[in-house]
Amino acid sequence: MLAAKSVMQAEPIRTGGLQAAFLDRDGVINCDHGYVYRREEFEFLPGAIVGMRRLVRAGFALIVVTNQSGIARGYYDAADFESLTGWMLNELAQAGAPVLAVYHCPHHPDGVVPGLATPCNCRKPAPGMLLRARDEHRIDMARSILIGDRVSDMAAARAAGVGRAFRLAPPGTDAAGAEAVLPDLPACAARLEEPGT
């Protein structure tokens, strides 16, 4: 459970490292009810755990990268986020979908919490969280993927040099630079399991 810090410009892609699946949280792993920070508000999306399990079986290390502006806005604090994250990680591990690391950005320029109400290099679409994960876990970005539900996720993937990006959204949604628009995590896993992909 790491808050991404300021990151310098991207370094050349390293090869021979881990193949990661970078996952946004709200709208990808759980229903996005808006500023989710309590266990009773957290609802895994249908198929999310199954999809994550399939990604692990396909050889991807799962890494969550999530904007959490609710901390800067004062809706909840870092301890609330850490508590929910610990519970989520335990649930996923027990379900056979262990997560290697969670990175979160607690900043927002319109926040009210001193020190967090600021622009940063970690809030997506900036690539800071992904670059920090790359450096701390020796990720081969070219062989890695990102799955998100927002345009900002796709932009962060491009800026960090992630090899492939998929957007979870209803049919007809703008791909926003993603390889494909898909309905859920199982559909992403299926796409990656296709021969020649």
Side-chain angles (χ1 to χ4, degrees):
M1 288 69 73
L2 303 166
K5 295 178 182 175
S6 294
V7 178
M8 305 293 267
Q9 279 205 317
E11 300 169 15
I13 294 170
R14 300 177 181 180
T15 57
L18 281 175
Q19 184 178 14
F22 294 103
L23 307 175
D24 181 37
R25 195 194 77 174
D26 302 316
V28 173
I29 297 173
N30 61 284
C31 296
D32 188 355
H33 298 306
Y35 303 108
V36 174
Y37 70 95
R38 297 188 186 99
R39 280 177 52 178
E40 54 268 28
E41 298 169 339
F42 191 98
E43 178 185 359
F44 283 106
L45 280 165
I49 294 175
V50 170
M52 293 171 76
R53 205 158 42 217
R54 287 170 66 177
L55 290 171
V56 170
R57 283 202 302 264
F60 291 95
L62 304 181
I63 297 179
V64 177
V65 286
T66 175
N67 287 348
Q68 292 293 320
S69 70
I71 300 175
R73 296 176 192 274
Y75 299 156
Y76 51 96
D77 60 24
D80 293 321
F81 174 79
E82 296 288 349
S83 177
L84 179 60
T85 299
W87 173 83
M88 178 189 76
L89 293 177
N90 185 60
E91 293 290 305
L92 290 170
Q94 289 188 22
V99 172
L100 174 63
V102 175
Y103 293 83
H104 75 286
C105 171
H107 309 107
H108 196 280
D110 298 330
V112 298
V113 177
L116 300 179
T118 179
C120 65
N121 292 328
C122 55
R123 179 174 171 78
K124 296 176 289 184
M129 288 187 283
L130 294 107
L131 297 178
R132 183 174 172 191
R134 177 200 66 186
D135 292 343
E136 292 183 348
H137 298 285
R138 200 167 167 269
I139 305 298
D140 185 338
M141 299 301 264
R143 294 173 53 239
S144 296
I145 64 170
L146 180 140
I147 304 170
D149 65 329
R150 296 178 181 268
V151 172
S152 58
D153 296 315
M154 304 304 106
R158 288 193 302 274
V162 176
R164 304 170 77 181
F166 301 94
R167 187 176 185 189
L168 301 191
T173 302
D174 180 6
E179 179 175 318
V181 174
L182 299 167
D184 51 29
L185 279 174
C188 288
R191 174 81 171 234
L192 294 164
E193 291 163 357
E194 292 173 3
T197 61

